[in-house]
Amino acid sequence: MRSLPLPDPGTPPLTGPFAFLWWLARRQWAVLASAVGLGVLMFACQALLPALTGTAIDDGLTHGFGPPLWRAAGALLLLGAVSAAASAIGHRFDVQAWMRASLTSSQLVGRTVSTSGHAITAELPTGEVVSAVANDALRIGEVFALAGRFVGSLVAYVACAFLMLRISVPLGLVVLLGLPTVAVALGLLVKPLQRRQTTQREASGRLTTLGADTVSGLRILRGIGGEGVFNARYRAQSQVVRQRGVQVAVTQSWLDALQALLPGLFVAALLWLGARMAVAGTITPGQLVSVYGYAAFLTWPVQQATQMLQGTTRAWVGAKKVLKVLAVVPASGAAPATAPTPPPHVHLVDQVSGVSLVPGRVAALVSADPDESAAIATRLGRFDDEAEAATPVHLGGVPLAAIDKEHVRARIVVAEATPQLFSGALGAELDVRGGASEDELLAAITLADAHDVLDSVPDGLTGELPEKGSSLSGGQRQRVALARALLLDPEILVLVEPTSAVDAHTEARIAARLADARRGRTTLLVTASPLVLDHVDEVLLLRDGELVARGAHTDLLEHAEHGDAYRRVVGRHLDEPALAGTHHDAGGRP
């Protein structure tokens, strides 16, 4: 059994639910074939039990406790043992098929979200994405868990009909025609159930989106007094979800009731007919017992068929929702590369602003408008190919949009000003690509001056961080993100305001260590802090989105043409309380 989740979930077709479900089935054909084979074996044994029971009764009545009766009893014991073993082993394959399909769907959604950039949030609400993993993926897997027993029940139905025809043609015809009639009657409720499940699923997705948006903006909502308004919205939407759930439950209850009633009526009719034949002498007492056994057993295939209908309905709805997520076109890297990857250690140039990163130099980007410099830094990472067409960036003279995205990601790392942390072990949070030693992790922590994080997290590197690093201060989160970026050790590293949330003493230590550690490798820091600017090789000065000067920090302070503008930008930073260390603690917590 291969370990789950799979190393590569594959590339599914996006043409429709059927194609997607069939693709999932083909990817685990061996598991499904094993589940189906064991399901057929189990149900075949169950189908033969009534026939052997009737034969044993007739042999006992005719010959007493002779060899024929003992042979029949032994055969019954063997069938029971084989059926039990097939059921136990088959259940393992059923669960494996369910998990493989569900986890593959979840992995595909996760991969799409992680590679699509901002396109996923632009096209789909958060709730749709969350529900695709938390709900729809599990529904997709359910149909594969039912497949083995469903096929086995169909085989058992055909076997029972054949054996019944051998006993009596009228009884066999009742089985052949009666059970399909029951299945069709139950199937009439599947369409309205599917429609109501779809409506309930959409309402639930909107509720999840509303909840996620409310939680993410809770602090702002409280500040402007809008918390009550959003609470009312959430309350109203939750009532809509409840009403849709009630509608689904009503239809489901009718289906469950008829699932018990209709097969029961069928069994009663079959027994009545068999009893009349036994009284008339057209069938033996043993055959009457067999008829009763078949009647009792055949309700099981009907239940399996009904469950398969319900499971297929839910899987169809879930597959449509998952495909909506998978169909999102990534903001970058959707088109194949059209140019070879440039050699290492070449210039990275933003064509619009004229900002050029010289290989092997540590530079700082300074602007009176921090958003302006941050936007240029973000462009250097190629996060949006559509925007790239309007503001092209070249690596070694080749447009970033023409280079293979994976090569760009391996060579250029952009760490933005608002880092995202996830739940998990601190060491795993830092080592995103895996394979780093403990010494390398500690070295990155030292560079980022983040030893206090080790002290604040129980068990250090193996300690668990909560979602978004909520147990850490703002400065600690920033330094964890800085250590994470430094550990990647890329050819080109772009850091946006890497020390904005720490006090002056911590910032000075980080600036000195960072410049020494990265010297010889291309590095750009977006900052106006003189504590950092004093350590870089050169400073790039922006004005109105264009590079107007470059040089050492001390040289720009005395620059004849741009010195006044540069001093105003740097001077504002000198006046900030963070430099005095009076309003921030060592971790950067206000």
Side-chain angles (χ1 to χ4, degrees):
M1 183 184 297
R2 294 178 64 182
S3 61
L4 295 174
L6 299 174
D8 178 17
T11 304
L14 306 179
T15 53
F18 177 79
F20 180 67
L21 294 173
W22 180 243
W23 176 80
L24 287 174
R26 285 188 286 113
R27 278 181 61 86
Q28 53 171 333
W29 66 268
V31 175
L32 286 174
S34 301
V36 168
L38 290 166
V40 169
L41 178 61
M42 180 194 70
F43 273 92
C45 291
Q46 295 288 333
L48 290 174
L49 285 176
L52 280 177
T53 302
T55 300
I57 290 174
D58 284 341
D59 286 342
L61 291 174
T62 303
H63 305 290
F65 289 98
L69 179 59
W70 290 112
R71 283 195 297 270
L76 284 172
L77 180 62
L78 178 62
L79 282 178
V82 172
S83 176
S87 177
I89 300 173
H91 179 69
R92 293 192 61 190
F93 283 98
D94 293 339
V95 172
Q96 186 182 357
W98 169 63
M99 292 183 65
R100 286 172 67 94
S102 296
L103 288 176
T104 298
S105 301
S106 297
Q107 284 181 267
L108 290 170
V109 172
R111 185 178 67 183
T112 300
V113 171
S114 65
T115 59
S116 61
H118 63 82
I120 191 76
T121 54
E123 293 193 27
L124 293 173
T126 306
E128 285 292 320
V129 180
V130 173
S131 294
V133 175
N135 183 37
D136 299 320
L138 298 177
R139 298 306 185 196
I140 289 171
E142 184 180 331
V143 72
F144 295 99
L146 297 170
R149 292 174 184 263
F150 171 67
V151 175
S153 67
L154 291 181
V155 172
Y157 167 70
V158 174
C160 285
F162 174 75
L163 293 172
M164 290 283 286
L165 284 171
R166 290 189 61 188
I167 295 174
S168 168
V169 173
L171 292 177
L173 291 176
V174 169
V175 173
L176 286 173
L177 300 177
L179 279 180
T181 303
V182 171
V184 169
L186 294 174
L188 294 176
L189 286 174
V190 170
K191 192 67 176 179
L193 179 63
Q194 179 180 6
R195 185 172 58 251
R196 292 184 174 185
Q197 283 178 338
T198 301
T199 304
Q200 193 266 347
R201 165 64 179 75
E202 291 173 350
S204 179
R206 286 193 292 271
L207 180 66
T208 305
T209 299
L210 185 59
D213 292 345
T214 302
V215 170
S216 62
L218 193 57
R219 181 177 299 176
I220 298 174
L221 291 174
R222 286 174 174 168
I224 63 176
E227 186 178 1
V229 174
F230 275 81
N231 282 341
R233 281 191 190 176
Y234 189 86
R235 221 171 13 246
Q237 184 62 29
S238 67
Q239 290 303 310
V240 172
V241 174
R242 183 188 64 81
Q243 292 169 3
R244 299 291 184 269
V246 169
Q247 292 173 351
V248 171
V250 168
T251 307
Q252 184 71 59
S253 64
W254 275 104
L255 188 60
D256 291 342
L258 291 176
Q259 183 179 337
L261 176 63
L262 295 181
L265 293 176
F266 169 75
V267 170
L270 189 63
L271 282 178
W272 178 80
L273 182 60
R276 288 180 60 86
M277 289 181 174
V279 170
T282 55
I283 60 175
T284 66
Q287 290 174 330
L288 176 61
V289 172
S290 295
V291 168
Y292 175 76
Y294 290 134
F297 167 72
L298 285 173
T299 59
W300 197 5
V302 174
Q303 291 175 354
Q304 293 294 323
T306 306
Q307 290 177 7
M308 190 64 180
L309 278 173
Q310 296 176 15
T312 303
T313 299
R314 289 191 288 263
W316 192 272
V317 173
K320 288 201 297 185
K321 297 299 181 180
V322 168
L323 287 175
K324 284 182 64 177
V325 178
L326 301 185
V328 173
V329 178
S332 64
T338 58
T341 303
H345 311 301
V346 293
H347 285 72
L348 179 65
V349 183
D350 180 67
Q351 298 294 313
V352 174
S353 67
V355 170
S356 174
L357 303 188
V358 180
R361 292 179 68 81
V362 179
L365 187 61
V366 176
S367 172
D369 182 0
D371 292 337
E372 181 180 74
S373 52
I376 293 175
T378 301
R379 291 206 295 262
L380 298 178
R382 186 193 166 188
F383 296 121
D384 191 331
D385 285 349
E386 186 175 344
E388 174 78 9
T391 56
V393 176
H394 287 188
L395 179 65
V398 180
L400 280 187
I403 306 172
D404 182 82
K405 180 181 175 181
E406 296 304 318
H407 290 165
V408 173
R409 292 288 179 266
R411 295 178 65 173
I412 304 173
V413 170
V414 177
E416 296 185 317
T418 54
Q420 295 293 327
L421 302 181
F422 301 95
S423 59
L426 175 60
E429 179 70 36
L430 295 173
D431 188 16
V432 293
R433 288 180 180 166
S437 66
E438 183 175 343
D439 289 340
E440 290 171 328
L441 289 170
L442 293 176
I445 289 173
T446 300
L447 283 175
D449 201 59
H451 279 288
D452 60 310
V453 177
L454 286 177
D455 297 332
S456 66
V457 177
D459 300 322
L461 291 174
T462 60
E464 293 290 318
L465 282 181
E467 184 68 22
K468 297 185 178 180
S470 57
S471 64
L472 305 178
S473 70
Q476 287 176 323
R477 286 195 297 272
Q478 189 175 63
R479 284 176 287 135
V480 167
L482 176 58
R484 180 175 62 188
L486 291 170
L487 190 64
L488 291 171
D489 195 26
E491 176 189 333
I492 301 173
L493 178 61
V494 180
L495 301 171
V496 181
E497 300 291 352
T499 57
S500 60
V502 300
D503 64 79
H505 302 292
T506 304
E507 185 176 34
R509 289 194 299 269
I510 292 175
R513 293 171 182 173
L514 179 59
D516 290 340
R518 288 293 302 177
R519 192 155 280 118
R521 283 163 295 178
T522 309
T523 308
L524 178 68
L525 295 91
V526 177
T527 180
S529 169
L531 291 174
V532 179
L533 299 176
D534 201 37
H535 290 278
V536 301
D537 296 328
E538 63 176 348
V539 178
L540 312 180
L541 179 62
L542 287 175
R543 179 185 292 170
D544 298 326
E546 293 185 4
L547 180 68
V548 295
R550 66 190 307 158
H553 171 55
T554 53
D555 293 339
L556 286 180
L557 287 173
E558 303 299 328
H559 195 283
E561 182 180 355
H562 303 290
D564 289 341
Y566 184 69
R567 282 191 296 272
R568 281 196 297 271
V569 176
V570 176
R572 281 205 309 268
H573 206 83
L574 284 168
D575 294 333
E576 291 178 359
L579 187 59
T582 56
H583 289 80
H584 291 74
D585 62 19
R589 189 188 300 276

